[in-house]
Structures are given as structure tokens and as C-alpha cells.
Amino acid sequence: MSDFRRALDDCGLNNLRFIGKWFTWERGRFLSINIRERLDWGVATLNWVNFCPSYQLEHLTHSFSDHYPILLDTFGKLKMSCINEKPFRFEAKWCLEDSFEEVIRRNWNDISRSVPEKLGRLGQQLQRWSGSKERDKKKNQALLEERLNCLYELDPTDEILGEIADIQ
């Protein structure tokens, strides 16, 4: 470990501040064998930090691996939202939704215009419908992430570790 620290010093690399939970690796679903460590780090030179002063390094809350992902956003808090209408893109995953065919029927039959006009209007309706579905998914994801964060704050027990695994 001292060789690794010396290599960081030789390269002028410093630990980056982060947000999120303190550990990036976890193994063991039961308290008796659960281990949590911070194995994954973000490092950078002072020149880089000065070049990207608004960076944000985040330890994300879940993964399919025993290592939790870390996300480096070089814009961090400076992100600007653009208000542009998205071009229509058909998503194949829509076909898997139970309500998809009904959306098509309802919007196609309600329009008494030319085919290009119907397609344009249908595209707008599908985007609204998809946005609603995505908002529902994000709400559910936010609730699950909130529950995960609450569970991570508690002292681990077999039940808590089991619930964490189920949510993940």
C-alpha cells in the first residue's frame, strides 16, 4: 500500500472529494460475513481540479457487481438544461407495455387528417405517454433508492442485508 501511495505522490495525484456512501465495495448478505470497504477512488492532479472546479464524484447506490459504480461528472453543479423539443424516436421497449396498443388505437382513430399529420400527432402522443411511463419508473426508482439509503444508515442485520439485496 505504501508503494501505491508513493506512486500517487510521484504522479501528483490527490483524492477527489465525493458524495454518497463512504464504501464502494460490499460482500456478504448476512451480518456475520458482511464486509464494506472503500476500494474505488477518484484521483486527479491539481491542474485537473483547477480545470474542472465544479466536478462531482458520486458513489452510486447500487450495482449488479459487488463494486458500486462511481460517477465523475466534470460539470457537476454547473449543468445547464436546454429546453429543446426532442426529435421523435421510436422505442422498441414500448411494444412490451400493456397500454401501448391502446395508445396507438385511441390516437390514430381520433385523428381525421392525412397520414403524415396522423403520424406527427401520434408521435407527440407517444412521447407524452412515454414521458409519463418514465416519470412513474423514476418515482419508483427514487423510492427504492431512498429505502436503500435508509437501510445503509442502519446497523446491518441479516434482515437488513437481505432487504438491501432484494431491492438491488
Side-chain angles (χ1 to χ4, degrees):
M1 194 62 169
S2 62
D3 289 340
F4 180 70
R5 287 192 182 112
R6 193 171 23 261
L8 290 176
D9 286 341
D10 290 347
C11 295
L13 295 171
N14 301 291
N15 289 329
L16 296 176
R17 68 184 186 277
F18 66 91
I19 60 173
K21 55 187 186 304
W22 65 270
F23 60 93
T24 62
W25 178 82
E26 180 178 30
R27 180 157 296 156
R29 288 185 64 169
F30 300 105
L31 180 59
S32 60
I33 57 170
N34 183 255
I35 304 169
R36 293 175 173 176
E37 295 292 337
R38 183 173 175 209
L39 298 181
D40 306 289
W41 297 71
V43 295
T45 63
L46 289 177
N47 285 341
W48 185 89
V49 171
N50 290 332
F51 184 72
C52 299
S54 297
Y55 80 88
Q56 184 171 305
L57 182 70
E58 183 177 1
H59 294 178
L60 301 178
T61 57
H62 57 285
S63 171
F64 295 107
S65 168
D66 55 356
H67 285 262
Y68 295 102
I70 57 176
L71 174 67
L72 176 62
D73 183 350
T74 56
F75 288 104
K77 297 175 185 135
L78 291 181
K79 285 183 191 171
M80 299 197 159
S81 60
C82 298
I83 303 174
N84 291 334
E85 188 174 321
K86 291 181 183 178
F88 179 77
R89 301 278 191 265
F90 180 82
E91 297 281 344
K93 68 181 180 179
W94 293 345
C95 297
L96 301 175
E97 295 286 340
D98 293 336
S99 58
F100 176 71
E101 283 186 42
E102 179 56 32
V103 172
I104 299 290
R105 278 191 195 93
R106 184 178 58 240
N107 286 287
W108 192 261
N109 292 335
D110 283 351
I111 304 168
S112 59
R113 299 187 179 161
S114 69
V115 170
E117 290 172 324
K118 285 183 174 189
L119 287 172
R121 167 92 186 220
L122 180 59
Q124 292 171 347
Q125 295 301 319
L126 283 172
Q127 284 179 316
R128 283 193 202 110
W129 171 80
S130 175
S132 172
K133 288 285 189 188
E134 288 301 314
R135 281 189 295 280
D136 291 346
K137 285 181 184 177
K138 285 182 182 179
K139 283 180 191 175
N140 188 43
Q141 181 179 350
L143 290 172
L144 291 173
E145 287 179 358
E146 184 179 322
R147 180 64 183 148
L148 268 179
N149 289 334
C150 289
L151 291 170
Y152 281 126
E153 295 298 320
L154 301 172
D155 290 332
T157 65
D158 291 346
E159 292 80 21
I160 288 172
L161 293 172
E163 187 175 349
I164 287 171
D166 289 344
I167 291 173
Q168 289 173 335

